[in-house]
Amino acid sequence: MTLISVHCFLFALAVILLYFVLPKKWQWLVLVAGNLYFYISFGLQYLFYLLFDALISYGAALAFDRMNQTAVKAMEGMDAAGKEEARRQLLKRKKRLSALAIVAILFFWILIKYGNFFLSNLQSVLSFFSAPWRPGMLELILPLGMSFYTFHAIGYLIDVYRKKYPAEKNFLKYFCFVSFFPHMIEGPFSRFDDLGRSLLQQHSFSYERFCQGMARILWGVFKKVVIADPLASTITIILSQYQDYGGIHIIFSLILYSIRLYADFSGYMDIVCGFCRILGISLAENFARPYFAQSVEEYWRRWHITLGRWFRDYVFFPASMSRAGTRLSKWARKKWGAKMGKLIAGYFALIFVWTATGLWHGASWTYLVWGYLNLVVIVISMQLADFYARCRKKLSISDSNRLWKGFRILRTYFLVSLFRFFGIAPSLSAAFSILKHGITDFRLGAVTNTSGFFVGMFREEILFMGIGVIFLLVTDILQETGKWEKFKEKSPIPLRALVYSVMLLLIVLMSKGADVSQGFMYANF
Amino acid sequence: MPLFILVFFLLGEYFLGRLLTPVNSAVYFRDEIRKMKENGEHADILFLGTSRIYQSVYPEILEEKLGVKYVINGGTATQRPDSSYIFLKDLYREVKPGVVVLGVQWSSLMPEANEAGEIESTLMMYDRLSASGRMECLLRKFGSSVWFDLFPMYRYRKEFRFASIRDNLEKWENYRKNGFIPNAELEQYYHGKGFVYSNSSKASGNVPIQDEGEARFSVDDIVPEKLAAIDNIVDFCKKKGIKLYLISPPMSLMNLYHVEGYQEAVDFYEAYAEKNGLVYHNMNYLKDREDWLPDEMMADYVHLNGKGATCFTERYAEILRKDLNGEDTGECFYRDLEELKETVRRVVAIKAEFTPGDRSVRIEANCLCNDDVTPLYRFELSTDGGKTYELLQDWSEEAELIFEPAEGKYRFRILAALDPEDPKPAWQVYDQEF
């Protein structure tokens, strides 16, 4: 079942109907049934991994709670030293259990997602040393949403470990959260104290919410079908047959790729957020107009927000506050002063964050390079922040200067688009070949032949896609400047209805078949 | 707001749908039926069946030969029996035919090799239905996955090009002025009353041996739902007092040799017709077939071209006239396939397969002919795209040839005949690149 298909539409309709028709106390059970149906529609065998992760995280979280309660009882009547020792023992046991549980949860995910990456590298090493034996490759398929539910389970486990909230006693209620189908394919990364509670609350039907949800779903489908899908062929053709094109075409295809990825990913988010809005469930937002970011660091605070937060809470903070992180910080403070001492622990933690971010997106060296490019630019801009500030002061450029802002937005857009090149290249060697070709055969003269940039697309598709991009840009500008709500309120109803109708008509015209769209890009990560 | 959206969307769908819907034979057909209804006329004879019907039955010839006013050819591409049933009921409501001729062939009751094609073929029939017929089709035939296709804008969305819209508008204009639009690409044009006239033609001996799918009839493989649909047609005709005939329109001689169990299919339809008090004619067995239906009458291995259709319809008119008058037509037909084969004194068709080796290619020819004759083969090669041929192997019983090609493009012509002097041998050409 693909998200934009008749099957999925009927499924979503059935969930909405049952959710509001059945007694409210059963609403979360409707969601559990929906989650199971959705997941099983992709293959019953994959349910094993989901249940395994859910059971391990559920059981470990309950054990943490029990350990805490037992320790509190045991500590009653103890002196301060005894309490301290009991606390130390409790922490030790919890750490041991959490490590075990996290390893168990990560085991299958790492095996399936990274097994072949590890084996192919091992093969290369063994072949370099002319070893007589080479390992074979694994034939495993990454189950749908595994990267997401694995992280949901770990996040929940760590939160309960940190006593952020108590463990959920009812397994089905916890399962409702961890397997919630709208966030299963591409996220967002949700927290149990946020989404989990919202899922378990009772909701009444609201016509206003229904209209808002439907409008958002329509907008999401529009972005996916009218903007993202038509661009796929152009990007694929230029990057796969790069010898036939110049550097300017390659750069242009990367710019288009950024548009496509944004339309595709944010389109998906609009669809699932719209669906949740109809049900009254609040789902975390994943985008805040990322292409208006003025630096790479800001971009990552606006793009895939929930992933960034997940890494911040569960990788960055633990790494920066780890023993190694604090030692490094102390050493740097002694050597280069207080400021550097503060920054160096962050840099240390960022290495883990960007290694994890790169590998999370794909098990290949290209994604690692992509992650490290982001890391390098972020570290350089943090390191040179004072220098840049002095330069701006000397040149009398204020931060509110529109031209300066525009320049920074464009610069960030180009940088993140170029970095993505490493993410989409099939291999590092291919990436360098394309780069070399792009530099040595730039073909600046081709800029006059615009049709050469949209290879594989019909004139009509370019036109509609262009209309879509303008729609997207205008709404993003209005939202960024805080004028969106006012603009919507001021527009007369017939005009708004006309816009929605045109969007619907364009979706129909640009759709590919009964299952109207290609799969979502981020579902592969 | 939702009402506004619905109204705007439906308006947009209607206008875009009109712009995108191609002017095709369904448009002409509906117009003809509408005119008949407006004039209060009814159809004398209605033909139903697949493309073999719509490319074989020439209504105007039948009208002239039988002295009737209206013959309608209701054949549509790969029309299944259940579609024929829906179409019959719908056309009965509109034009009340007195005689119905249902086209059946060896494959009509066999499982479909290509289930996906069913929707497309049903849509072609759907386009010819009245509003009530469409509703019935929608409820009985189409699953939810096809509902979108019933909206013209969705169905023809892939044709959305400014050039194709302009072209379509010109076609509508032309249709309004001239009555029909030729389909130059397929060398076919709509000739009126459901008949499609084809200008393409096979050269003698050049009918290709069908490659796709398994060509086999077996009573054991009959799909019960398809047979039930024919039963429904029989019951409907009985109930409405319509005289029903079964007919197998002619196909190439190659097919008669190629299809396994062909005679079993004929026997089945004869038994079925007898059981239900119907008349069944297999027009493939009409006597002197080799004289009146040479390969040049075929548009491809299964359809007649315009000349073939003319020739066939003239002969069928005679058979139908005799039937309607209660005369015996048994003498006009061969008894069975064996009797027909006895009249064939040639190689019917040839096919070659190329198996590349290390430095050579093995060419293996096989042909369709009677079991009691030995075919001779001849292999020729052209390096100039078929302008001139050099001899690789002269007429012999050897059906295999090993050829060692240098790099390049070649055209092979493989011939088969019973006699080297045969002026019309079976032949095929194959372009190969090494």
Side-chain angles (χ1 to χ4, degrees), chain A residues 116-153:
Chain A
N116 280 336
F117 175 57
F118 171 75
L119 288 173
S120 65
N121 284 302
L122 184 64
Q123 275 183 351
S124 307
V125 172
L126 289 173
S127 109
F128 181 76
F129 289 109
S130 309
W133 175 82
R134 310 268 159 80
M137 301 300 270
L138 300 170
E139 282 181 17
L140 294 167
I141 298 168
L142 185 71
L144 176 92
M146 196 178 198
S147 300
F148 290 92
Y149 64 69
T150 301
F151 276 36
H152 283 130

Side-chain angles (χ1 to χ4, degrees), chain A residues 222-480:
Chain A
F222 178 81
K223 283 202 257 185
K224 169 73 178 149
V225 175
V226 179
I227 305 173
D229 285 351
L231 285 173
S233 57
T234 294
I235 297 160
T236 311
I237 291 171
I238 292 181
L239 291 183
S240 62
Q241 300 164 19
Y242 65 91
Q243 295 95 333
D244 300 339
Y245 300 93
I248 193 153
H249 295 103
I250 293 168
I251 290 175
F252 187 72
S253 72
L254 291 176
I255 290 167
L256 290 184
Y257 182 79
S258 286
I259 296 173
R260 182 187 172 215
L261 189 63
Y262 177 49
D264 189 287
F265 194 10
S266 67
Y268 169 86
M269 288 308 304
D270 288 327
I271 294 167
V272 293
C273 285
F275 174 75
C276 289
R277 178 92 191 122
I278 293 172
L279 298 181
I281 294 163
S282 53
L283 204 58
E285 292 291 345
N286 236 353
F287 293 95
R289 280 85 54 202
Y291 293 141
F292 287 100
Q294 295 180 41
S295 68
V296 175
E297 193 207 352
E298 189 194 350
Y299 167 81
W300 280 104
R301 275 186 272 121
R302 287 165 171 259
W303 175 276
H304 208 171
I305 297 166
T306 57
L307 177 72
R309 282 189 193 150
W310 198 96
F311 280 126
R312 183 195 65 192
D313 292 351
Y314 305 118
V315 179
F316 182 84
F317 288 148
S320 62
M321 287 186 287
S322 65
R323 209 174 293 166
T326 42
R327 270 187 199 163
L328 195 66
S329 180
K330 274 180 195 167
W331 174 79
R333 195 179 299 142
K334 257 187 211 166
K335 198 145 187 160
W336 294 303
K339 196 182 169 197
M340 198 57 197
K342 207 173 161 188
L343 284 172
I344 204 90
Y347 295 162
F348 172 71
L350 279 176
I351 294 171
F352 290 96
V353 168
W354 283 102
T355 306
T357 306
L359 283 176
W360 184 86
H361 280 83
S364 74
W365 289 104
T366 52
Y367 278 110
L368 270 176
V369 170
W370 166 78
Y372 290 141
L373 280 173
N374 279 284
L375 168 70
V376 167
V377 170
I378 290 171
V379 168
I380 289 174
S381 14
M382 283 166 81
Q383 199 59 39
L384 298 180
D386 291 344
F387 171 73
Y388 287 150
R390 281 198 300 274
C391 290
R392 279 202 307 276
K393 204 174 174 187
K394 269 191 183 169
L395 295 167
S396 307
I397 300 170
S398 88
D399 276 347
S400 56
N401 184 309
R402 280 189 181 181
L403 265 177
W404 174 238
K405 257 189 186 175
F407 164 74
R408 293 184 73 193
I409 287 171
L410 279 177
R411 180 197 60 185
T412 307
Y413 180 76
F414 277 111
L415 273 176
V416 293
S417 299
L418 287 175
F419 294 165
R420 279 206 185 100
F421 166 70
F422 282 94
I424 51 176
S427 66
L428 268 186
S429 57
F432 287 120
S433 301
I434 299 172
L435 262 182
K436 190 182 161 195
H437 173 81
I439 294 164
T440 53
D441 186 9
F442 195 73
R443 301 190 200 176
L444 189 62
V447 81
T448 49
N449 177 18
T450 47
S451 60
F453 289 92
F454 292 100
V455 55
M457 281 176 82
F458 292 108
R459 219 159 32 128
E460 294 76 10
E461 282 180 315
I462 299 169
L463 176 73
F464 294 154
M465 187 272 299
I467 293 172
V469 171
I470 291 168
F471 263 39
L472 181 62
L473 189 67
V474 169
T475 49
D476 271 11
I477 289 173
L478 289 170
Q479 283 176 354
E480 184 67 15

Side-chain angles (χ1 to χ4, degrees), chain A residues 67 71-72 74-75 78-94 96:
Chain A
M67 281 178 189
V72 168
M75 276 189 263
M78 278 187 187
D79 57 6
K83 278 183 183 171
E84 186 53 40
E85 178 56 24
R87 259 189 224 113
R88 217 169 48 82
Q89 286 299 324
L90 171 68
L91 197 66
K92 207 173 164 184
R93 270 184 290 141
K94 276 174 71 179
R96 209 177 296 150

Side-chain angles (χ1 to χ4, degrees), chain B residues 194-385:
Chain B
F195 173 52
V196 174
Y197 192 101
S198 169
N199 279 322
S200 60
S201 175
K202 284 285 149 201
S204 175
N206 188 227
V207 175
I209 296 178
Q210 186 185 351
D211 261 335
E212 70 272 18
E214 191 186 35
R216 192 172 78 91
F217 177 89
S218 167
V219 174
D220 298 334
D221 294 339
I222 286 177
V223 179
E225 291 79 15
K226 291 188 172 186
L227 187 58
I230 296 187
D231 289 341
N232 287 338
I233 294 172
V234 173
D235 291 344
F236 182 83
C237 289
K238 276 183 188 160
K239 216 179 283 175
K240 301 292 179 189
I242 301 167
K243 193 150 179 54
L244 177 67
Y245 290 89
L246 301 183
I247 178 188
S248 291
M251 52 187 186
S252 67
L253 197 56
M254 180 283 295
N255 247 315
L256 302 184
Y257 276 72
H258 180 61
V259 176
E260 199 185 323
Y262 183 77
Q263 185 55 44
E264 203 183 334
V266 178
D267 292 343
F268 175 82
Y269 286 123
E270 279 176 349
Y272 182 85
E274 199 177 335
K275 189 180 128 198
N276 290 287
L278 310 173
V279 176
Y280 167 63
H281 290 310
N282 180 5
M283 296 304 288
N284 286 293
Y285 288 1
L286 193 65
K287 278 186 177 168
D288 304 325
R289 180 194 159 106
E290 280 286 76
D291 298 331
W292 71 268
L293 196 64
D295 289 345
E296 287 87 345
M297 294 284 194
M298 303 301 300
D300 53 44
Y301 63 82
V302 82
H303 298 105
L304 295 175
N305 61 21
K307 279 183 189 163
T310 308
C311 185
F312 156 74
T313 311
E314 280 170 355
R315 277 159 179 77
Y316 184 60
E318 187 56 27
I319 298 291
L320 198 56
R321 189 190 57 74
K322 284 183 175 173
D323 271 330
L324 291 168
N325 291 339
E327 294 172 32
D328 181 27
T329 54
E331 282 303 304
C332 307
F333 296 91
Y334 294 122
R335 248 186 354 268
D336 53 24
L337 189 59
E338 282 310 307
E339 196 184 351
L340 164 67
K341 279 185 175 179
E342 280 168 20
T343 66
V344 179
R345 286 281 155 253
R346 65 177 173 115
V347 172
V348 173
I350 186 171
K351 183 174 159 182
E353 275 178 22
F354 292 75
T355 315
D358 280 349
R359 284 183 188 167
S360 61
V361 61
R362 192 164 72 101
I363 309 166
E364 192 180 5
N366 59 67
C367 65
L368 296 173
C369 60
N370 288 345
D371 297 336
D372 58 347
V373 294
T374 309
L376 302 173
Y377 297 96
R378 180 183 160 99
F379 296 80
E380 296 173 347
L381 174 73
S382 170
T383 50
D384 56 9

Side-chain angles (χ1 to χ4, degrees), chain A residues 207 493-494 497-498 501, chain B residues 1-11:
Chain A
Y207 179 71
I493 285 177
L498 186 67
S501 311
Chain B
M1 173 89 122
L3 193 69
F4 274 115
I5 295 175
L6 189 70
V7 169
F8 287 141
F9 177 75
L10 289 179
L11 279 172

Side-chain angles (χ1 to χ4, degrees), chain A residues 39 46-51 53-54 57 105 143-155 174 178-179 183-184 189:
Chain A
Y39 208 73
Y46 300 132
L47 195 62
F48 162 77
Y49 302 110
L50 175 60
L51 280 172
D53 282 4
S57 50
I105 292 170
L144 176 92
M146 196 178 198
S147 300
F148 290 92
Y149 64 69
T150 301
F151 276 36
H152 283 130
I154 291 174
Y174 170 63
V178 85
S179 65
H183 72 185
M184 189 63 95
F189 287 98

Side-chain angles (χ1 to χ4, degrees), chain B residues 52 73 85 94 125 132 152 154 163 169 213 229 243 261 270 274 279 291 301 322 350 364 392 411 419 425:
Chain B
R52 295 185 201 180
N73 187 334
Y85 180 49
E94 298 200 279
M125 187 272 296
S132 56
Y154 180 79
L169 288 172
K243 193 150 179 54
E270 279 176 349
E274 199 177 335
V279 176
D291 298 331
Y301 63 82
K322 284 183 175 173
I350 186 171
E364 192 180 5
L392 283 179
R411 175 169 286 185
D419 180 345

